[in-house]
Amino acid sequence: MTDVVGDMTNRLLADAGIGAGMRVLDVGCGPGDVSFRIAKLVGGQGQVVGIDRDARPLAAARDRARELGLSNMTFAEVDLGALAPEHGLFDAIVGRRVLMYQPDAVAALKSLSRALHPGGLVVFQEHDTTMVPASVEPLPLHERTHQWTWGTVEREGADIHMGFHLASALEQAGLTVVSVRAEAVVQTPQTRYRTADIVRAMLPRILQQGVATEAEIDVDTLAERLVEERTRANATYISDMVFGAWARKPA
């Protein structure tokens, strides 16, 4: 199963100019998925610092870095609005699906930019539900699944239109926007996406927010039912729009 969004992240980081020898901060890093992508780009002479406010995924990230023998990666339990001077300055700051969860994305960006060298890069990738789900043929199960996940995220207080707000947030934070892009996650009868895995991982949150019941979701059969629905309709389905942007701190 192809990691479609991961491929988008790789392209965004490379196109933005994350490269050898850079010192990069990954905010809201979780278990380090983006951090390890950055590490490949900066190489042994670079450094990656991942921060998150949840200690559990950070422990997993540290274990993975240790297993891979990557001594130039560190992970710290820090809120992105509480970076201390001892963390130093960075050549770039990166985040994926982070700004959407901030009560004030502009304030968060202003705070983060203080940790950037003049001329440094800010690179963010954010999902957006404004234009999705989309299909020419009716796909009711796909639409319900979309509502289970994104209805939950919205009830949790996230900005589900952060992709469209991304460029203006960067500009309002005093940064110079270089490029903005949007890419779609396209599913066909022949392709498989991680939808059911995402629903399974989110299931406790979905239930907590009262968006759906376990019986309605039936997560163990969900992947097969989604493929069957697309195949029966011979339909192409767009499940996600992923916005990416990079900007620079004025020199």
Side-chain angles (χ1 to χ4, degrees):
M1 193 176 297
T2 304
D3 184 0
V4 179
V5 176
D7 291 344
M8 294 177 187
T9 304
N10 290 340
R11 289 193 295 272
L12 178 66
L13 295 172
D15 292 349
I18 304 296
M22 294 177 72
R23 186 169 192 260
V24 182
L25 176 68
D26 179 18
V27 299
C29 66
D33 182 62
V34 176
S35 303
F36 289 96
R37 296 173 190 277
I38 297 167
K40 289 181 180 179
L41 293 171
V42 302
Q45 299 304 308
Q47 184 182 15
V48 181
V49 177
I51 62 169
D52 201 284
R53 58 188 177 189
D54 190 340
R56 290 170 298 176
L58 289 172
R62 291 189 191 102
D63 289 343
R64 183 178 172 190
R66 206 162 29 243
E67 290 169 4
L68 294 173
L70 297 173
S71 59
N72 63 337
M73 300 186 75
T74 57
F75 297 92
E77 187 178 348
V78 180
D79 188 275
L80 66 83
L83 278 173
E86 57 262 30
H87 288 107
L89 294 178
F90 296 88
D91 301 305
I93 294 175
V94 172
R96 183 169 74 175
R97 292 192 296 271
V98 171
L99 294 177
M100 65 188 298
Y101 289 103
Q102 303 309 307
D104 187 334
V106 174
L109 287 166
K110 286 180 178 178
S111 176
L112 287 169
S113 66
R114 290 196 285 270
L116 266 183
H117 287 294
L121 276 169
V122 176
V123 187
F124 275 90
Q125 189 177 57
E126 299 286 338
H127 284 230
D128 192 297
T129 68
T130 306
M131 301 168 64
V132 291
S135 175
V136 173
E137 304 297 332
L139 296 171
L141 178 60
H142 285 71
E143 291 173 8
R144 288 200 304 275
T145 304
H146 185 272
Q147 178 56 33
W148 296 337
T149 55
W150 287 104
T152 298
V153 170
E154 186 174 26
R155 288 192 185 186
E156 291 172 338
D159 179 2
I160 61 173
H161 306 293
M162 190 63 226
F164 273 97
H165 297 154
L166 182 54
S168 59
L170 292 164
E171 290 168 354
Q172 290 174 50
L175 301 162
T176 302
V177 174
V178 178
S179 182
V180 183
R181 63 176 56 160
E183 298 179 86
V185 175
V186 180
Q187 302 181 44
T188 72
Q190 288 74 40
T191 58
R192 291 216 171 208
Y193 187 57
R194 304 178 48 245
T195 305
D197 294 335
I198 293 168
V199 171
R200 186 183 297 278
M202 289 184 64
L203 189 57
R205 295 162 56 194
I206 294 170
L207 299 177
Q208 182 180 10
Q209 294 298 328
V211 173
T213 66
E214 286 192 71
E216 286 175 304
I217 295 170
D218 190 9
V219 71
D220 291 334
T221 67
L222 182 58
E224 290 75 17
R225 286 185 289 133
L226 287 168
V227 172
E228 180 186 355
E229 185 176 70
R230 287 199 308 280
T231 302
R232 186 171 60 250
N234 194 28
T236 293
Y237 172 73
I238 298 178
S239 59
D240 294 88
M241 289 298 298
V242 184
F243 283 69
W246 65 93
R248 288 196 177 272
K249 180 178 180 177

